PDB file of all heavy atoms in Angstrom:
ATOM      1  N   VAL L1735     -17.961  92.505 169.491  1.00 94.00           N
ATOM      2  CA  VAL L1735     -17.435  92.488 168.021  1.00 94.00           C
ATOM      3  C   VAL L1735     -18.733  92.414 167.000  1.00 94.00           C
ATOM      4  O   VAL L1735     -19.632  91.709 167.228  1.00 94.00           O
ATOM      5  CB  VAL L1735     -16.474  91.430 167.736  1.00 94.00           C
ATOM      6  CG1 VAL L1735     -17.085  89.936 167.833  1.00 94.00           C
ATOM      7  CG2 VAL L1735     -15.740  91.619 166.475  1.00 94.00           C
ATOM      8  N   ILE L1736     -18.606  93.297 166.093  1.00 95.00           N
ATOM      9  CA  ILE L1736     -19.576  93.264 164.962  1.00 95.00           C
ATOM     10  C   ILE L1736     -19.036  92.538 163.812  1.00 95.00           C
ATOM     11  O   ILE L1736     -17.979  92.963 163.216  1.00 95.00           O
ATOM     12  CB  ILE L1736     -20.093  94.776 164.648  1.00 95.00           C
ATOM     13  CG1 ILE L1736     -20.393  95.586 165.855  1.00 95.00           C
ATOM     14  CG2 ILE L1736     -21.153  94.663 163.644  1.00 95.00           C
ATOM     15  CD1 ILE L1736     -20.772  96.972 165.449  1.00 95.00           C
ATOM     16  N   VAL L1737     -19.655  91.404 163.431  1.00 94.00           N
ATOM     17  CA  VAL L1737     -19.103  90.628 162.295  1.00 94.00           C
ATOM     18  C   VAL L1737     -20.189  90.417 161.246  1.00 94.00           C
ATOM     19  O   VAL L1737     -21.331  90.591 161.596  1.00 94.00           O
ATOM     20  CB  VAL L1737     -18.522  89.355 162.680  1.00 94.00           C
ATOM     21  CG1 VAL L1737     -17.160  89.398 163.421  1.00 94.00           C
ATOM     22  CG2 VAL L1737     -19.375  88.460 163.417  1.00 94.00           C
ATOM     23  N   LYS L1744     -22.503  96.613 159.111  1.00 94.00           N
ATOM     24  CA  LYS L1744     -21.705  96.636 160.467  1.00 94.00           C
ATOM     25  C   LYS L1744     -21.289  97.977 160.814  1.00 94.00           C
ATOM     26  O   LYS L1744     -21.499  98.517 161.943  1.00 94.00           O
ATOM     27  CB  LYS L1744     -20.452  95.755 160.235  1.00 94.00           C
ATOM     28  CG  LYS L1744     -20.721  94.280 159.906  1.00 94.00           C
ATOM     29  CD  LYS L1744     -19.308  93.617 159.682  1.00 94.00           C
ATOM     30  CE  LYS L1744     -18.535  94.004 158.544  1.00 94.00           C
ATOM     31  NZ  LYS L1744     -19.306  93.778 157.252  1.00 94.00           N
ATOM     32  N   LEU L1748     -22.402 100.447 164.080  1.00 93.00           N
ATOM     33  CA  LEU L1748     -21.509 101.113 165.122  1.00 93.00           C
ATOM     34  C   LEU L1748     -21.794 102.577 165.168  1.00 93.00           C
ATOM     35  O   LEU L1748     -21.857 103.140 166.231  1.00 93.00           O
ATOM     36  CB  LEU L1748     -19.997 100.987 164.518  1.00 93.00           C
ATOM     37  CG  LEU L1748     -18.911 101.684 165.395  1.00 93.00           C
ATOM     38  CD1 LEU L1748     -18.486 100.794 166.555  1.00 93.00           C
ATOM     39  CD2 LEU L1748     -17.750 102.182 164.660  1.00 93.00           C
ATOM     40  N   THR L1784     -16.164  96.666 168.683  1.00 91.00           N
ATOM     41  CA  THR L1784     -15.128  96.626 167.551  1.00 91.00           C
ATOM     42  C   THR L1784     -15.848  96.361 166.233  1.00 91.00           C
ATOM     43  O   THR L1784     -16.628  95.399 166.100  1.00 91.00           O
ATOM     44  CB  THR L1784     -14.175  95.433 167.720  1.00 91.00           C
ATOM     45  OG1 THR L1784     -13.558  95.581 169.101  1.00 91.00           O
ATOM     46  CG2 THR L1784     -13.025  95.464 166.686  1.00 91.00           C
ATOM     47  N   THR L1786     -15.548  95.444 162.336  1.00 90.00           N
ATOM     48  CA  THR L1786     -14.500  94.751 161.674  1.00 90.00           C
ATOM     49  C   THR L1786     -14.799  94.813 160.041  1.00 90.00           C
ATOM     50  O   THR L1786     -15.838  95.181 159.607  1.00 90.00           O
ATOM     51  CB  THR L1786     -14.489  93.242 161.999  1.00 90.00           C
ATOM     52  OG1 THR L1786     -15.901  92.814 161.619  1.00 90.00           O
ATOM     53  CG2 THR L1786     -14.429  93.137 163.499  1.00 90.00           C
ATOM     54  N   LEU L1815     -21.966  90.343 167.641  1.00 96.00           N
ATOM     55  CA  LEU L1815     -23.138  90.856 166.972  1.00 96.00           C
ATOM     56  C   LEU L1815     -22.996  90.417 165.472  1.00 96.00           C
ATOM     57  O   LEU L1815     -22.153  90.912 164.754  1.00 96.00           O
ATOM     58  CB  LEU L1815     -23.397  92.361 167.040  1.00 96.00           C
ATOM     59  CG  LEU L1815     -23.465  92.895 168.485  1.00 96.00           C
ATOM     60  CD1 LEU L1815     -23.521  94.463 168.402  1.00 96.00           C
ATOM     61  CD2 LEU L1815     -24.772  92.396 169.046  1.00 96.00           C
ATOM     62  N   LEU L1817     -24.178  90.273 161.847  1.00 96.00           N
ATOM     63  CA  LEU L1817     -25.182  90.937 160.770  1.00 96.00           C
ATOM     64  C   LEU L1817     -25.311  90.152 159.615  1.00 96.00           C
ATOM     65  O   LEU L1817     -24.368  89.858 158.938  1.00 96.00           O
ATOM     66  CB  LEU L1817     -24.579  92.430 160.543  1.00 96.00           C
ATOM     67  CG  LEU L1817     -25.297  93.389 161.357  1.00 96.00           C
ATOM     68  CD1 LEU L1817     -24.869  93.457 162.760  1.00 96.00           C
ATOM     69  CD2 LEU L1817     -25.205  94.794 160.673  1.00 96.00           C
TER      70      LEU L1817
END
Side-chain angles (χ1 to χ4, degrees):
V1735 63
I1736 310 176
V1737 292
K1744 299 180 293 299
L1748 178 89
T1784 305
T1786 63
L1815 300 176
L1817 257 75

